[in-house]
Amino acid sequence: MKRKTQVNIYDVAKELGVSISTVSRALNDNPKISEKTKKRVKKAADKLGFKKNILASGLMTNKTKIIGVIVPYINREFFAQAINSIEMTAFDLGYKVMICQSADSLERERINIDTLISSRVDGIIMSLSLETNDWSHLQRAIDMGIPIVFFDRVCYDIEHSTKIMVDNFSAAYRATSHLIEKGHKRIGHIGGFMKIKIFQERFNGYKKALNDNNIPLDETIVKETHLTKDDCNKAVKDILDLENPPSAVFCANNLTAITAIFYAQSIGMNVPGDLAVIGFSVDPFATLMKPSLTAVEQPSKEMGKLATERLVEELNGLAEEKATIYGKIILDTKLVVRESS
Amino acid sequence: MKRKTQVNIYDVAKELGVSISTVSRALNDNPKISEKTKKRVKKAADKLGFKKNILASGLMTNKTKIIGVIVPYINREFFAQAINSIEMTAFDLGYKVMICQSADSLERERINIDTLISSRVDGIIMSLSLETNDWSHLQRAIDMGIPIVFFDRVCYDIEHSTKIMVDNFSAAYRATSHLIEKGHKRIGHIGGFMKIKIFQERFNGYKKALNDNNIPLDETIVKETHLTKDDCNKAVKDILDLENPPSAVFCANNLTAITAIFYAQSIGMNVPGDLAVIGFSVDPFATLMKPSLTAVEQPSKEMGKLATERLVEELNGLAEEKATIYGKIILDTKLVVRESS
DNA sequence: TTGTAAGCGTTATCAA
DNA sequence: TTGATAACGCTTACAA
């Protein structure tokens, strides 16, 4: 079955005996067209099954109404929530989303950026891959007039861009302090990849809290992970199998926290009695599980929504040639204390 | 900052003193172009920062290399897994994905379809919304030459399309039989929206298993839900708060199963002692929780991968004007027995 | 092996 | 308020 050549404005124009410009204008609600013809045109278009070819209009207008999105993995809870919110918000604002996964690979991130540029997306919302240590591909997009809004794993080294994040340092400081207030003196930390700013900051907040309470940092109960299942498992075991395991652990993400709780239980430790656990981010299971998980709640959906709204504002500003003020937007986290601590 | 007009093949051609067709051909690896010029062209293109405008090329070729995807919600575990796999597979095959959420609304699904048509996606992969009881919008896409591959919540009423699913009836039959073998005589069922085929089939499999074992169906321990959190909570409570609650429950999705387990525990029931629970679908949490969850595992990633591969095959077939054989692809489920039963 | 020119389906710029 | 026509940036016969 050969792809049928589709109905275009010429067909509609012919049907009505008007010019294609009239059809185009009517379909775009141009004020210079009378209501009567608008109605006629729209009706005929519907009848013929006309669907505007966005490739053609995008070619002319230099706008596609597509937002490119790059995240490490779609199926990580935090990103799934953020993307859900991005798509919903984009939909409301009349945008579509083209979603790419970097799989935490710089190479893939580069390819994704190139693809999005080639697709002439109007703007990009992204969270950096773990490997990203060079920003030239991002700068290239911005130089081509495609604004980028970063969220969560933001890029500090790119100036003309909005960055949406939480105060990871303070959140970690608060979480650790909470454990200290509960009387813990030996507190471990299972973090993310330390080359990434947000995980550094979480680590720094943890260190500062210890320091402010005169608790020495013990490197043997601090682990770095790439947030994969295997990594988390290993880190948890490394720490809990020690002869002298910590009595509490602050985890830089929820997968680790949940893994820690179940592993602790499986080796006969009581949570929170023998081990208090704090996670990071939102997870539907945090409230369901036993014990329920104390966690620093990151507003994933709000971040997605805000990123989208912000990007669209920038896009509109660009169109009106208004100068954009770029900057950081820091959202509040909540330390939600539940049973695991 | 005005959007800079971007580098095009004219710029590249001028730089080298060749024609635009040579540039175009070289960039597309046309065999009629000498290796030498190909190299020169590609180098110059790189140097000038040329990025092919896919809008323009798509307009000519009638191909965008975009796959449209419509799912109810991106942030439901099953769909997040499927989409992860769809994007990965599409990436490998040189396709991009435009992802839409129907939010289980027919109205939104219609809008999404229209948007995807306007975007001239090459094909569509989708899972129906709960409300979808009319297929004209889907038929329209197919009639326009945009093939649709359905997965999970497939549409039986559209003939020229591939459908990828699991045998829900048999899976449910097996799950229920497993509970019966364990000695249960009073088995509840918390299902999905019964207007949807897959949930009907799960219910039917459950009924058949009861029937084959001479267990009468008790409507008071059968509940229908829309798979939302609130719905699941209510259904679980309705059943477990009965004076005469079931000793086992087969849930049509995992959220319900997990909710059931935790609620049962919270009211002092022992799982699986007082209540055995079986879920449906894959969830990272199923293995982690205590007790771990017995579940019918749906191969979400395989479904996504297969759907994408299948769609691309159809697309290639279309290009070569080969007739496509459409049909159902039924993937196996696994009943993974864990602690909750 | 390369160049010329037509055309894809829109929007935009003039005129009328 | 409408119409003719030139773009937009590419691919692709057809010529050379």
Side-chain angles (χ1 to χ4, degrees):
Chain A
M1 185 172 35
K2 196 177 155 189
R3 187 172 188 135
K4 285 187 206 106
T5 178
Q6 293 160 355
V7 182
N8 58 25
I9 49 174
Y10 285 88
D11 298 320
V12 180
K14 203 184 298 167
E15 170 87 5
L16 294 172
V18 298
S19 75
I20 57 162
S21 2
T22 302
V23 174
S24 172
R25 283 192 270 249
L27 258 21
N28 289 322
D29 274 325
N30 184 311
K32 307 206 155 201
I33 295 283
S34 72
E35 281 306 321
K36 205 190 298 174
T37 31
K38 267 187 201 172
K39 275 209 184 107
R40 281 181 64 216
V41 169
K42 285 180 183 173
K43 204 170 147 193
D46 257 18
K47 179 185 145 205
L48 297 179
F50 170 83
K51 302 281 167 197
K52 184 203 276 196
N53 186 328
I54 297 198
L55 301 179
S57 72
L59 192 53
M60 274 304 293
T61 58
N62 219 0
K63 283 200 189 70
T64 51
K65 291 279 189 173
I66 301 178
I67 293 175
V69 178
I70 307 178
V71 295
Y73 291 97
I74 295 172
N75 56 338
R76 289 253 177 89
E77 189 62 29
F78 172 79
F79 293 116
Q81 299 298 346
I83 292 177
N84 160 262
S85 176
I86 290 172
E87 196 276 344
M88 291 288 184
T89 312
F91 180 91
D92 290 342
L93 296 171
Y95 283 80
K96 307 167 278 289
V97 292
M98 191 170 276
I99 300 182
C100 310
Q101 302 181 94
S102 66
D104 275 331
S105 139
L106 173 56
E107 161 77 359
R108 254 182 106 117
E109 188 176 275
R110 285 211 179 99
I111 298 177
N112 287 333
I113 286 283
D114 278 349
T115 305
L116 293 179
I117 292 178
S118 264
S119 302
R120 297 300 192 260
V121 298
D122 290 342
I124 293 175
I125 296 176
M126 73 180 292
S127 196
L128 293 181
S129 96
L130 283 186
E131 288 181 8
T132 306
N133 52 8
D134 168 86
W135 340 107
S136 51
H137 54 304
L138 308 177
Q139 193 59 57
R140 203 188 310 145
I142 292 181
D143 291 344
M144 288 187 73
I146 303 179
I148 301 184
V149 170
F150 293 95
F151 75 101
D152 193 43
R153 302 193 201 157
V154 308
C155 180
Y156 290 92
D157 299 76
I158 293 211
E159 298 201 327
H160 299 289
S161 68
T162 297
K163 298 153 190 81
I164 297 178
M165 49 195 168
V166 297
D167 185 343
N168 288 285
F169 178 88
S170 305
Y173 184 90
R174 194 146 39 118
T176 310
S177 300
H178 165 74
L179 292 172
I180 295 171
E181 282 160 23
K182 289 278 177 179
H184 295 279
K185 303 247 175 271
R186 188 161 166 72
I187 302 172
H189 174 54
I190 304 180
F193 186 44
M194 292 300 175
K195 287 229 168 116
I196 297 287
K197 209 82 168 202
I198 62 170
F199 297 118
Q200 258 173 43
E201 288 168 351
R202 290 179 199 173
F203 179 50
N204 289 339
Y206 156 82
K207 275 198 300 196
K208 182 74 162 36
L210 293 188
N211 195 55
D212 286 358
N213 290 276
N214 301 310
I215 301 178
L217 177 71
D218 179 353
E219 298 275 5
T220 61
I221 52 173
V222 172
K223 295 288 164 190
E224 182 175 2
T225 75
H226 276 47
L227 310 182
T228 61
K229 228 184 219 171
D230 290 346
D231 262 26
C232 291
N233 270 323
K234 187 172 179 319
V236 164
K237 284 187 185 163
D238 281 355
I239 284 191
L240 296 188
D241 289 347
L242 286 174
E243 281 190 22
N244 181 20
S247 70
V249 59
F250 163 54
C251 302
N253 75 338
N254 271 352
L255 176 58
T256 319
I258 293 171
T259 307
I261 290 181
F262 288 126
Y263 183 69
Q265 290 175 335
S266 77
I267 59 173
M269 291 177 91
N270 175 33
V271 179
D274 302 323
L275 182 77
V277 178
I278 292 191
F280 208 106
S281 193
V282 178
D283 199 299
F285 286 119
T287 56
L288 287 176
M289 59 187 297
K290 280 286 161 195
S292 57
L293 179 66
T294 293
V296 174
E297 294 208 336
Q298 239 179 332
S300 50
K301 293 208 181 191
E302 285 73 11
M303 290 174 99
K305 179 161 188 275
L306 201 58
T308 313
E309 290 172 344
R310 204 30 234 238
L311 179 62
V312 170
E313 271 171 39
E314 286 179 25
L315 258 17
N316 293 339
L318 264 183
E320 298 162 21
E321 310 212 6
K322 275 194 290 202
T324 310
I325 312 288
Y326 298 100
K328 294 198 251 282
I329 300 180
I330 314 233
L331 297 186
D332 283 340
T333 54
K334 269 193 308 221
L335 176 65
V336 181
V337 179
R338 299 200 188 86
E339 296 162 357
S340 72
S341 67
Chain B
M1 184 175 31
K2 195 177 156 189
R3 187 172 187 135
K4 283 186 206 107
T5 179
Q6 294 160 354
V7 183
N8 58 25
I9 50 173
Y10 286 88
D11 299 321
V12 180
K14 203 183 297 167
E15 170 87 5
L16 294 172
V18 297
S19 75
I20 57 162
S21 25
T22 301
V23 174
S24 171
R25 285 193 269 249
L27 259 19
N28 289 322
D29 273 325
N30 184 313
K32 308 207 155 202
I33 296 283
S34 73
E35 282 305 321
K36 204 189 298 172
T37 30
K38 268 186 200 171
K39 274 206 185 109
R40 282 181 61 217
V41 170
K42 285 180 185 174
K43 203 171 148 192
D46 258 17
K47 180 186 145 204
L48 298 178
F50 170 83
K51 301 282 167 197
K52 183 202 277 194
N53 185 328
I54 298 197
L55 301 179
S57 69
L59 194 51
M60 271 305 292
T61 57
N62 218 2
K63 284 201 189 68
T64 51
K65 291 278 187 174
I66 301 177
I67 293 175
V69 179
I70 307 178
V71 295
Y73 292 96
I74 295 171
N75 56 339
R76 289 255 176 87
E77 189 63 27
F78 173 78
F79 293 116
Q81 300 297 346
I83 291 177
N84 161 261
S85 177
I86 290 172
E87 196 278 340
M88 292 287 184
T89 312
F91 180 91
D92 290 342
L93 296 171
Y95 283 81
K96 307 167 278 291
V97 292
M98 191 170 276
I99 300 182
C100 310
Q101 302 181 95
S102 66
D104 274 331
S105 139
L106 172 57
E107 161 77 359
R108 255 184 106 117
E109 188 177 274
R110 285 211 179 98
I111 298 176
N112 287 331
I113 286 282
D114 278 348
T115 305
L116 294 178
I117 292 178
S118 264
S119 301
R120 297 300 192 261
V121 298
D122 290 343
I124 294 176
I125 296 176
M126 72 181 292
S127 196
L128 295 180
S129 95
L130 283 186
E131 288 180 7
T132 307
N133 52 7
D134 168 85
W135 339 110
S136 52
H137 54 304
L138 308 177
Q139 193 59 57
R140 202 189 308 144
I142 292 182
D143 291 344
M144 288 187 73
I146 303 179
I148 301 184
V149 170
F150 294 95
F151 76 101
D152 194 43
R153 301 192 201 159
V154 307
C155 180
Y156 289 94
D157 299 78
I158 292 210
E159 298 201 328
H160 298 289
S161 68
T162 297
K163 298 153 191 83
I164 297 179
M165 48 194 169
V166 297
D167 185 343
N168 289 285
F169 177 88
S170 304
Y173 184 91
R174 194 148 38 119
T176 311
S177 301
H178 165 76
L179 292 172
I180 295 171
E181 281 160 22
K182 289 278 178 182
H184 295 279
K185 304 249 176 266
R186 189 164 165 69
I187 302 171
H189 174 55
I190 304 180
F193 186 45
M194 291 301 175
K195 288 229 170 117
I196 296 286
K197 209 81 168 205
I198 61 170
F199 297 118
Q200 258 172 44
E201 287 167 352
R202 291 179 198 172
F203 179 50
N204 289 338
Y206 156 82
K207 274 198 300 195
K208 183 73 163 36
L210 293 187
N211 196 55
D212 285 358
N213 289 276
N214 301 310
I215 301 178
L217 177 71
D218 179 354
E219 298 275 5
T220 62
I221 52 175
V222 172
K223 295 288 164 192
E224 182 175 0
T225 75
H226 276 48
L227 309 182
T228 62
K229 225 184 221 171
D230 289 347
D231 262 26
C232 290
N233 270 323
K234 187 172 178 319
V236 164
K237 284 187 183 162
D238 281 355
I239 284 191
L240 296 188
D241 288 347
L242 287 174
E243 283 190 21
N244 181 19
S247 70
V249 59
F250 163 55
C251 302
N253 76 336
N254 271 352
L255 176 58
T256 320
I258 293 168
T259 307
I261 290 181
F262 288 127
Y263 182 70
Q265 290 175 335
S266 79
I267 58 172
M269 291 175 95
N270 175 32
V271 179
D274 303 323
L275 182 77
V277 178
I278 293 191
F280 210 105
S281 195
V282 178
D283 201 301
F285 212 67
T287 56
L288 288 175
M289 59 186 297
K290 280 285 160 194
S292 57
L293 179 66
T294 293
V296 174
E297 295 208 335
Q298 237 179 334
S300 50
K301 293 208 180 187
E302 286 74 12
M303 289 174 100
K305 178 160 188 276
L306 202 58
T308 313
E309 289 172 345
R310 209 21 240 239
L311 179 62
V312 171
E313 271 171 41
E314 287 180 25
L315 258 17
N316 293 339
L318 265 183
E320 298 163 19
E321 313 214 5
K322 274 195 290 199
T324 311
I325 311 289
Y326 300 101
K328 296 198 249 283
I329 299 181
I330 314 238
L331 297 186
D332 283 341
T333 53
K334 269 192 308 220
L335 175 65
V336 181
V337 178
R338 299 201 188 87
E339 296 162 358
S340 71
S341 67

